[in-house]
């Protein structure tokens, strides 16, 4: 299997870390564990892709999920310790294939209303099953699928 031949974006929020694997894949497998995530799929050419990320800190794998779309796979990873900022996604300081999603990276203070509106809109559009207990007051999902980004 090949290592990442696709973009991976991430951003940090008080309760969740959001990741987006930017690949149109089939036979997608996402395994979220307390200290790592394993992602694999086949791209449009049938080539197997694999990505394993050791997290910066422990996560709550039981309260984490993924959502698949035609162009990407977004993971909602619940932090074990809330309101603790992650300076990076990975345990090791590597930056070859991983990018910060600056379109969604925000200071946490005073941004709750914007985040709430954005998450509520996203949840309505994609109707995420099993995400009823997601605290949308602190989460913010990728705006890559939307033509707008709420302004303050």
């Amino acid at each position: 299997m090949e290592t990442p031949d696709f973009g991976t974006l991430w951003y940090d929020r008080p309760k969740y870390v959001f990741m987006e694997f930017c690949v149109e894949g089939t036979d997608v497998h996402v395994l979220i564990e307390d200290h790592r995530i394993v992602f694999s799929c086949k791209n449009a050419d049938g080539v197997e892709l694999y990505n394993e990320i050791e997290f910066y800190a422990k996560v709550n794998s039981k309260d984490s999920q993924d959502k698949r779309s035609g162009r990407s796979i977004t993971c909602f990873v619940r932090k074990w310790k809330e309101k603790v900022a992650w300076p990076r996604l990975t345990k090791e300081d590597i930056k070859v294939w991983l990018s910060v999603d600056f379109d969604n990276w925000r200071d946490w203070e005073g941004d709750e209303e914007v985040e709430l509106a954005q998450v509520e809109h996203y949840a309505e559009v994609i109707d995420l099953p099993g995400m009823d207990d997601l605290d949308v007051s602190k989460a913010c999902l990728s705006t890559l699928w939307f033509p707008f980004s709420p302004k303050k």
Side-chain angles (χ1 to χ4, degrees):
M1 282 193 239
E2 297 181 12
T3 50
D5 189 21
F6 51 89
T8 303
L9 300 173
W10 81 283
Y11 59 100
D12 184 33
R13 287 290 181 263
K15 289 187 178 183
Y16 289 86
V17 172
F18 296 88
M19 302 171 55
E20 184 169 20
F21 297 101
C22 304
V23 62
E24 294 181 35
T26 60
D27 197 23
V28 175
H29 298 282
V30 178
L31 174 65
I32 301 172
E33 297 177 338
D34 289 348
H35 293 283
R36 71 180 183 144
I37 186 169
V38 179
F39 172 81
S40 65
C41 72
K42 290 183 181 176
N43 69 8
D45 298 326
V47 176
E48 289 187 37
L49 303 173
Y50 179 84
N51 194 345
E52 183 175 333
I53 298 171
E54 195 81 20
F55 289 126
Y56 174 78
K58 185 176 180 181
V59 301
N60 183 344
S61 60
K62 293 182 170 115
D63 195 22
S64 301
Q65 295 191 21
D66 62 273
K67 172 65 181 166
R68 297 156 195 192
S69 73
R71 290 187 248 170
S72 65
I73 294 84
T74 302
C75 299
F76 316 91
V77 181
R78 182 77 180 246
K79 293 179 177 179
W80 191 260
K81 291 183 181 179
E82 296 178 6
K83 298 183 180 178
V84 175
W86 286 19
R88 61 183 182 269
L89 179 66
T90 59
K91 186 176 183 177
E92 302 295 323
D93 192 10
I94 55 172
K95 300 176 185 175
V96 176
W97 47 266
L98 188 62
S99 301
V100 173
D101 186 352
F102 286 109
D103 289 339
N104 287 301
W105 194 279
R106 290 183 181 84
D107 290 332
W108 295 348
E109 293 181 27
D111 220 14
E112 292 177 6
E113 289 179 24
V114 172
E115 290 180 30
L116 178 60
Q118 195 174 20
V119 170
E120 285 176 347
H121 175 75
Y122 184 85
E124 288 173 14
V125 170
I126 64 173
D127 190 29
L128 283 173
M131 294 294 281
D132 297 334
D133 62 342
L134 177 65
D135 182 1
V136 296
S137 66
K138 301 287 184 193
C140 183
L141 306 177
S142 175
T143 57
L144 294 177
W145 294 320
F146 299 109
F148 67 91
S149 179
K151 303 283 184 205
K152 285 188 181 179

